[in-house]
Amino acid sequence: MSSSSVVVQKYGGSSVADVDRLKRVAARVACTRAAGHAVVVVVSAMGNTTNELLNLARRVSSEPGRRELDMLLSVGERITMALLSMAINDLGVPAVSFTGSQSGILTDDRHAGARIVEVRPERIRKALDDGRVAIVAGFQGMSRSREITTLGRGGSDTTAVALAAALGAEVCEILTDVDGVFSADPRQVADAHRIDALSYGEALALFRGGARVLHPEAVAWAAKAGIVLHTGLAEPGPDGWGRGTDIRSLVPREDPHPVAVAADADLEIARPGPGGMAELLRWCAEVEAPVRFVYGSFALLDRRDFHHVDTVTWPKGATHEPGGLLTVAGTGGGTLPNLLFGETVMKQLGIEAVYCEMDGDRLCWLLPSSERGRLGEAATALHRALVAP
Ligand code: ASP
Ligand code: MG
């Protein structure tokens, strides 16, 4: 197997949501194999499976243990891997499926938000050497103490990139039902447009800001390994294949300005009690709360990966409320004039932010729980003012 011929393709949950789609994915994989590539396919859970499993757990227990939750959630991807492998074998192409731990995805031991620390893909290499397509269950790994862990919602992207890096793949494709990264969520902002290419830094700012196209950790891995990430359609839409988006090291732009807006409604704003920030953060570490950002007087926690957010006992005197975050990203776009322009926009909408921030590549506004319902409106206005021109 020559390492340059390895292609890693990751298929998102909507692209494998039912048997027909799964079979179409199998056909595409078979084509890639027929073109002479060694193919590794990373899969997500089918459709809404992960949410359904979470709901099932909540019906059984008001406070499901995090270890057992990971045992449960990791099943979603395993269903897809086995079915896809069967479908590919039926096309006469030898394929074999592997769980995250069988693929050598080693993580730390933080359940529901584990980070990959090492990849030892011996079994995958062997399968490729034997001429087989390797199908890998995304979103999961194994800790040093041999516990099954999951990588946080959306984490199968990270599985794909980490494997691509470990296998020396030149191409890592993240395939889904959207034609790449858009300048805003097209369901929220009508005039959002597809972006041809983003730098790693821009993509990181956008995905950390809550744009759900790709998992931020996946971009961090790609940046570290210098892998070009291509994201695009898993199958042709009404307008054909589309062109998708490349995420790579440097994207020259004529004049630096914001390229995209992200809105995140799934955050919890946590403020310390009398014990101060240090106590709050120690508590976060103890209960494995997913801390996304820490600012001077509060921390932002990721509600999507904080499965016990509503049942956990908070430190004495600490307060918390859901919040919404708006992020405007683009190399060199975090300037004072842009910030002031954005402030004017918010003022015109009558939205009072809790906090705003500016750095070289990013502007952001944090909205309190009372304004969270207006994220879409604010994203549309910021997009029109700062990105669209
Ligand atoms: N199935 C998991 C989720 O829904 C992981 C993934 O799709 O990447 O978040
Ligand atoms: Mg995803």
Side-chain angles (χ1 to χ4, degrees):
M1 175 192 91
S2 93
S3 64
S4 62
S5 71
V6 177
V7 170
V8 176
Q9 292 181 337
K10 181 256 167 178
Y11 289 92
S14 56
S15 312
V16 290
D18 56 46
V19 167
D20 288 334
R21 275 180 257 195
L22 203 77
K23 286 186 177 173
R24 293 203 287 272
V25 165
R28 177 164 176 182
V29 171
C31 279
T32 311
R33 180 74 192 88
H37 300 288
V39 191
V40 177
V41 182
V42 175
V43 290
S44 283
M46 293 170 76
N48 203 26
T49 304
T50 309
N51 288 333
E52 282 161 12
L53 292 172
L54 264 174
N55 288 338
L56 208 52
R58 289 200 184 109
R59 280 170 54 200
V60 168
S61 159
S62 60
E63 237 173 299
R66 294 194 290 283
R67 176 189 185 276
E68 303 310 330
L69 262 183
D70 273 357
M71 292 296 252
L72 180 71
L73 295 189
S74 62
V75 171
E77 274 67 13
R78 295 181 185 208
I79 295 173
T80 322
M81 75 177 189
L83 292 176
L84 183 61
S85 179
M86 293 174 198
I88 294 174
N89 276 297
D90 270 12
L91 297 174
V93 177
V96 55
S97 67
F98 297 105
T99 66
S101 60
Q102 288 175 322
S103 310
I105 307 281
L106 301 178
T107 72
D108 63 15
D109 53 12
R110 246 194 48 168
H111 288 293
R115 296 178 74 133
I116 300 177
V117 292
E118 202 187 329
V119 183
R120 294 189 199 154
E122 278 91 43
R123 295 192 66 181
I124 300 202
R125 265 200 206 102
K126 170 86 173 55
L128 297 181
D129 285 343
D130 293 345
R132 298 208 254 182
V133 172
I135 319 286
V136 175
F139 173 59
Q140 56 189 276
M142 183 178 73
S143 71
R144 302 240 179 245
S145 47
R146 296 186 163 264
E147 292 290 0
I148 299 298
T149 52
T150 63
L151 308 178
R153 296 305 301 269
S156 3
D157 298 333
T158 311
T159 308
V161 184
L163 272 174
L167 294 166
E170 257 161 42
V171 186
C172 183
E173 298 174 322
I174 309 284
L175 305 169
T176 171
D177 58 352
V178 236
D179 183 22
V181 184
F182 279 64
S183 58
D185 184 341
R187 287 165 305 186
Q188 226 168 31
V189 178
D191 45 358
H193 56 266
R194 187 187 53 81
I195 302 171
D196 275 328
L198 282 169
S199 72
Y200 295 125
E202 290 168 337
L204 266 180
L206 207 54
F207 304 146
R208 284 198 178 125
R212 304 270 183 243
V213 189
L214 269 166
H215 199 255
E217 274 294 301
V219 177
W221 269 90
K224 226 172 11 187
I227 292 176
V228 176
L229 272 181
H230 176 77
T231 177
L233 291 173
E235 55 181 325
D239 303 321
W241 275 107
R243 291 174 37 204
T245 300
D246 281 336
I247 297 170
R248 52 187 160 86
S249 57
L250 261 188
V251 179
R253 299 191 197 287
E254 271 174 28
D255 65 304
H257 74 86
V259 292
V261 176
D264 192 342
D266 284 321
L267 294 168
E268 192 79 0
I269 311 172
R271 296 188 176 82
M277 195 55 149
E279 183 198 63
L280 179 66
L281 295 179
R282 250 194 312 275
W283 172 84
C284 287
E286 223 164 83
V287 304
E288 298 183 339
V291 178
R292 181 104 65 87
F293 298 105
V294 178
Y295 297 111
S297 59
F298 58 88
L300 290 185
L301 315 181
D302 207 326
R303 284 182 64 92
R304 289 206 321 160
D305 290 324
F306 198 2
H307 303 306
H308 47 313
V309 59
D310 295 318
T311 48
V312 75
T313 312
W314 291 71
K316 219 170 164 184
T319 60
H320 61 104
E321 57 162 334
L325 186 71
L326 288 156
T327 302
V328 174
T331 307
T335 61
L336 189 56
N338 284 341
L339 181 68
L340 293 174
F341 201 14
E343 284 286 304
T344 312
V345 167
M346 303 291 264
K347 193 153 190 185
Q348 277 164 357
L349 294 173
I351 292 177
E352 187 94 39
V354 176
Y355 176 87
C356 73
E357 200 190 57
M358 160 191 128
D359 69 25
D361 303 331
R362 190 176 70 111
L363 302 168
C364 70
W365 286 267
L366 179 64
L367 307 194
S369 137
S370 56
E371 304 279 27
R372 211 161 54 120
R374 302 187 64 195
L375 271 175
E377 200 188 327
T380 304
L382 284 174
H383 184 267
R384 194 169 306 137
L386 288 167
V387 178

